[in-house]
Amino acid sequence: SQTIHQWPATLVQPVGSPLSLECTVEGTSNPNLYWYRQAAGRGLQLLFYSIGIDQISSEVPQNLSASRPQDRQFILSSKKLLLSDSGFYLCAWSVRGHGANVLTFGAGSRLTVL
Amino acid sequence: DQQVKQNSPSLSVQEGRISILNCDYTNSMFDYFLWYKKYPAEGPTFLISISSIKDKNEDGRFTVFLNKSAKHLSLHIVPSQPGDSAVYFCAASGTGGGNKLTFGTGTQLKVEL
């Protein structure tokens, strides 16, 4: 069966510090990968999605970047965190291909920027 | 521009009664709709979905209805149970590549004893 792992689960970082959140998927190949963010009191906002290694699309301009160094690994990074980067970050995967399908989410990473 | 809207941020229902959660969308290119359930500090879990070629899909206590002309969908939970208390997100896909989902802002459902 497929599993998705995301870490760290909780992170408290000062403004201006770097960030690295990691996500890996097991039990599948060539998945689509996604990073979403849930800010306080708001819905889920798509930040990045990837349909393959080094194929990453950014949905909104922001202080963050994403990388996919391996097929089943997706990394969310920042060189200098802002207060507004605080939120609950969710990695997700889906079967690659056209047509609609279900996204499966990880447990999330809570980031607090102070 | 919020393409998927859930106008009720919260809903309170008594145990055993019906819960109805609503969702509206603006993009007529959406062709697949999903509901997710989310507990605090956890990732959302998939609940039920519906294709735009259908107007109803049922799975146990959960039924999703789609009204394409009104660009409206709803999730019915019957009977509601305390364990159903969670945030429910409506999502839609169908535009662009990557099977992206566009989510609503969520409705907090509380099922009371």
Side-chain angles (χ1 to χ4, degrees):
Chain A
S1 64
Q2 301 89 7
T3 56
I4 179 168
H5 303 279
Q6 190 179 338
W7 71 95
T10 305
L11 198 59
V12 180
Q13 292 285 99
V15 169
S17 64
L19 170 74
S20 180
L21 300 178
E22 294 195 33
C23 173
T24 60
V25 180
E26 296 177 357
T28 188
S29 297
N30 305 317
N32 287 340
L33 296 171
Y34 311 83
W35 279 110
Y36 280 84
R37 175 173 61 198
Q38 182 183 19
R42 303 185 66 179
L44 301 174
Q45 181 185 37
L46 178 62
L47 303 176
F48 300 94
Y49 72 94
S50 172
I51 61 173
I53 293 175
D54 296 328
Q55 294 179 278
I56 298 168
S57 298
S58 174
E59 287 295 294
V60 294
Q62 60 204 310
N63 184 42
L64 302 168
S65 62
S67 62
R68 185 170 177 173
Q70 300 179 43
D71 179 49
R72 293 172 291 168
Q73 183 184 23
F74 207 23
I75 298 171
L76 184 68
S77 304
S78 174
K79 292 182 179 179
K80 290 185 177 182
L81 283 169
L82 305 173
L83 287 174
S84 58
D85 292 324
S86 293
F88 192 55
Y89 289 82
L90 291 154
C91 182
W93 75 275
S94 73
V95 173
R96 183 181 297 183
H98 296 291
N101 56 58
V102 175
L103 269 62
T104 301
F105 285 86
S109 298
R110 171 73 60 190
L111 171 64
T112 303
V113 182
L114 302 175
Chain B
D1 176 33
Q2 189 73 27
Q3 298 187 65
V4 179
K5 302 177 183 178
Q6 293 176 258
N7 293 320
S8 298
S10 63
L11 175 67
S12 185
V13 172
Q14 280 195 318
E15 182 181 12
R17 307 292 291 267
I18 184 172
S19 295
I20 300 176
L21 297 99
N22 294 303
C23 178
D24 298 293
Y25 61 95
T26 57
N27 193 330
S28 58
M29 298 301 290
F30 288 142
D31 59 6
Y32 193 67
F33 304 90
L34 307 89
W35 285 94
Y36 279 80
K37 175 180 179 180
K38 184 182 181 301
Y39 294 115
E42 295 183 9
T45 55
F46 170 71
L47 200 54
I48 192 170
S49 63
I50 187 167
S51 165
S52 61
I53 63 173
K54 295 185 176 181
D55 55 17
K56 177 183 176 181
N57 188 26
E58 189 171 355
D59 183 2
R61 295 186 298 114
F62 303 91
T63 303
V64 55
F65 296 92
L66 175 63
N67 183 334
K68 285 182 292 183
S69 60
K71 294 190 177 66
H72 177 84
L73 63 156
S74 61
L75 175 67
H76 293 209
I77 306 174
V78 181
S80 300
Q81 300 173 354
D84 295 329
S85 297
V87 176
Y88 288 79
F89 288 98
C90 169
S93 74
T95 58
N99 302 112
K100 299 174 290 181
L101 291 184
T102 300
F103 283 84
T105 51
T107 297
Q108 173 75 59
L109 173 65
K110 183 178 181 181
V111 180
E112 300 173 320
L113 298 173

